[in-house]
Amino acid sequence: MGLTNVIKVLLIEDAPAEARLLHEVLKGATRQEFHLVHEKRLKDALNQLETQIFDIILLDLTLPDSEGLDSLTPIINHNSHIPIVVLTNMNDEELALEAVRRGAQDYLVKRHITLDILVRSICYAIERKQMEKQLKKANQDLEKRVEERTIQLLKAQELNQLKSEFVSILSHDFRNPLNTILLSAGLLEDSHDQLTRDQQLSYFQMIRQAVQDMNQLLSEVLLLGKADAGKLKPNFNELDIKQFCQQIIYSLHLSCEEKNQIMVSFKGELQGELWDEKLLWHILQNLLNNALKYSPQGGKIYVDIIAQEKTVTFRIQDQGIGISQESQKHLFEPFYRADNVENIAGTGLGLSIVRKCVEAYQGQIFVDSQLGKGTTFTVILPRQQPVMSKIEESMEQI
Ligand code: ATP
Ligand code: MG
């Protein structure tokens, strides 16, 4: 039955005679032992509930400090798990029924109470309350499962939508360089004799650039796929971070007109630090590329690299077109591009790659931007100190 050996009963009843009677009745029980605690006022009963655990409450609906159904609510609010059996007089059965509707398990008319009726009512009330609890729990579990399943479905839908978006954008972005290749190859073939050497070279160069663009697009898509499959794991090695940053900046400068000045500053000690070169390359290359690309009117770009005790912060600040508050919410979604990019070229994949790489690094990324004023991206990565044996090795050499 799930009932404990001794059933602890809290009787809330102001009439001493009635209370005594109930006490006597319960004493007569042979198959089940009852321990009765009696209180005359609701306030004292609530105090009892603070300090003791009861299996059941027997509640008289007329108390000196509370009348009728008003007694029920504070008890249920205090502890909704204890079953309540309401005790009534002959003339207020309506009230008792209302009490049951509001959460009491049962009601007993005082004059009709016998040992059998009382014990049965108590035991049933406890059982029913337990079943109610189990049912509630089962319901909650079910609701949770439905919710989880809905989220899974929504994710699958989102993924499907993303996939079709992916395919349409990819085919568009592949078609452009393919057209360039086709056109250049056709011109080289048809008018080979009439072209100067320089013209020929320029068509070959266009073909090479188109192939490079396609190659880069492919590797970015592959990288995103790898990250989504959870396969993007960092691989730490020693790296001269200053030289590495300078190389990225140098190659970015080569590929765009030098209208911007990039000012790099390093703070703190970073020697011997371990890095994942590939992840870091994607992060810095994309953020710097954006800073240059979205500053069409020129302006300085500040790159601050700050080593702290446990983290390294990379701050890339530009004075470009900026990003609206609304767009900032979507920046890291694949293929998202803000409205103000106008004819600045891009696929909208860069920042989603940056985010995946920062996540793989277990770092954080923040953006702070104002339309027309400029943008600051801050990436915080955990420091990867060389392992102890390496430090000891270098100490021995000293
Ligand atoms: P690509 O895939 O070639 O990098 P993209 O630069 O458009 O294309 P993201 O790097 O992902 O794509 O950037 C997404 C969008 O965020 C950009 O299209 C642009 O609207 C906005 N954005 C990113 N960086 C900046 C910045 N520094 N200043 C202003 N807008 C920016
Ligand atoms: Mg970009």
Side-chain angles (χ1 to χ4, degrees), residues 347-361:
T347 323
L349 280 179
L351 284 180
S352 48
I353 289 172
V354 170
R355 190 179 66 172
K356 297 283 179 194
C357 293
V358 171
E359 276 170 8
Y361 233 113

Side-chain angles (χ1 to χ4, degrees), residues 183-205:
L183 209 74
S184 307
L187 280 166
L188 281 166
E189 196 177 30
D190 295 343
S191 33
H192 164 73
D193 297 340
Q194 291 118 39
L195 292 176
T196 65
R197 184 72 194 130
D198 274 356
Q199 280 171 321
Q200 284 179 17
L201 281 179
S202 123
Y203 285 129
F204 280 123
Q205 179 54 32

Side-chain angles (χ1 to χ4, degrees), residues 11-26 36 38-40 58 60 62 87-90 108-113 118:
L11 171 65
I12 313 172
E13 163 69 82
D14 65 324
E18 309 269 7
R20 214 174 307 121
L21 186 77
L22 280 169
H23 206 169
E24 288 306 315
V25 171
L26 284 179
L36 191 102
H38 173 215
E39 287 298 347
K40 290 183 185 144
L58 299 179
D60 178 24
T62 43
L87 306 173
T88 68
N89 296 315
M90 295 286 262
L108 291 173
V109 180
K110 287 181 192 172
R111 295 277 167 269
H112 295 166
I113 289 178
L118 186 59

Side-chain angles (χ1 to χ4, degrees), residues 290 293-294 318 322-323 331 336-338 341 346-351 375:
N290 282 350
K293 194 159 75 163
Y294 298 112
D318 66 50
I323 309 163
L331 277 191
Y336 180 82
R337 304 203 71 213
V341 293
T347 323
L349 280 179
L351 284 180
T375 303

Side-chain angles (χ1 to χ4, degrees), residues 115-286:
L115 176 63
D116 258 5
I117 291 175
L118 186 59
V119 171
R120 198 176 325 140
S121 173
I122 288 177
C123 292
Y124 279 176
I126 294 174
E127 283 278 291
R128 258 206 306 273
K129 191 74 190 178
Q130 271 173 4
M131 266 157 62
E132 198 181 90
K133 214 164 103 185
Q134 280 164 6
L135 212 67
K136 211 166 160 184
K137 166 101 179 35
N139 239 337
Q140 278 169 352
D141 287 352
L142 203 70
E143 265 172 31
K144 206 168 137 215
R145 260 196 279 162
V146 169
E147 206 175 295
E148 280 167 6
R149 187 85 191 105
T150 316
I151 291 173
Q152 274 173 3
L153 278 174
L154 281 175
K155 271 195 184 153
Q157 263 174 12
E158 238 171 67
L159 209 70
N160 261 341
Q161 199 193 334
L162 205 69
K163 270 187 191 153
S164 48
E165 222 173 304
F166 218 70
V167 170
S168 68
I169 292 180
L170 264 191
S171 41
H172 168 261
D173 282 358
F174 265 114
R175 203 163 284 148
N176 279 345
L178 277 176
N179 279 339
T180 309
I181 295 171
L182 211 62
L183 209 74
S184 307
L187 280 166
L188 281 166
E189 196 177 30
D190 295 343
S191 33
H192 164 73
D193 297 340
Q194 291 118 39
L195 292 176
T196 65
R197 184 72 194 130
D198 274 356
Q199 280 171 321
Q200 284 179 17
L201 281 179
S202 123
Y203 285 129
F204 280 123
Q205 179 54 32
M206 275 164 79
I207 293 176
R208 197 166 289 127
Q209 185 60 47
V211 172
Q212 267 172 15
D213 286 352
M214 281 168 67
N215 194 25
Q216 184 176 344
L217 195 60
L218 250 186
S219 50
E220 286 181 350
V221 170
L222 283 177
L223 184 110
L224 278 179
K226 218 168 152 187
D228 281 339
K231 287 185 190 151
L232 200 62
K233 296 265 155 44
N235 181 15
F236 298 112
N237 281 303
E238 236 177 84
L239 177 77
D240 183 340
I241 183 77
K242 286 191 187 175
Q243 207 186 350
F244 180 71
C245 292
Q246 252 117 29
Q247 260 167 11
I248 296 180
I249 292 170
Y250 179 71
S251 57
L252 279 172
H253 261 318
L254 281 186
S255 61
C256 66
E257 326 96 74
E258 286 194 29
K259 58 183 163 52
N260 307 94
Q261 219 184 330
I262 303 182
M263 327 276 283
V264 193
S265 92
F266 292 90
K267 287 200 191 90
E269 185 52 58
L270 277 169
Q271 253 188 357
E273 192 80 5
L274 303 182
W275 303 92
D276 182 310
E277 190 174 332
K278 273 196 196 144
L279 294 180
L280 197 61
W281 184 85
H282 282 293
I283 296 171
L284 296 179
Q285 204 272 348
N286 273 302

Side-chain angles (χ1 to χ4, degrees), residues 363-374:
Q364 289 168 296
I365 182 162
F366 306 98
V367 58
D368 182 22
S369 185
Q370 249 184 309
L371 266 183
K373 293 243 166 88

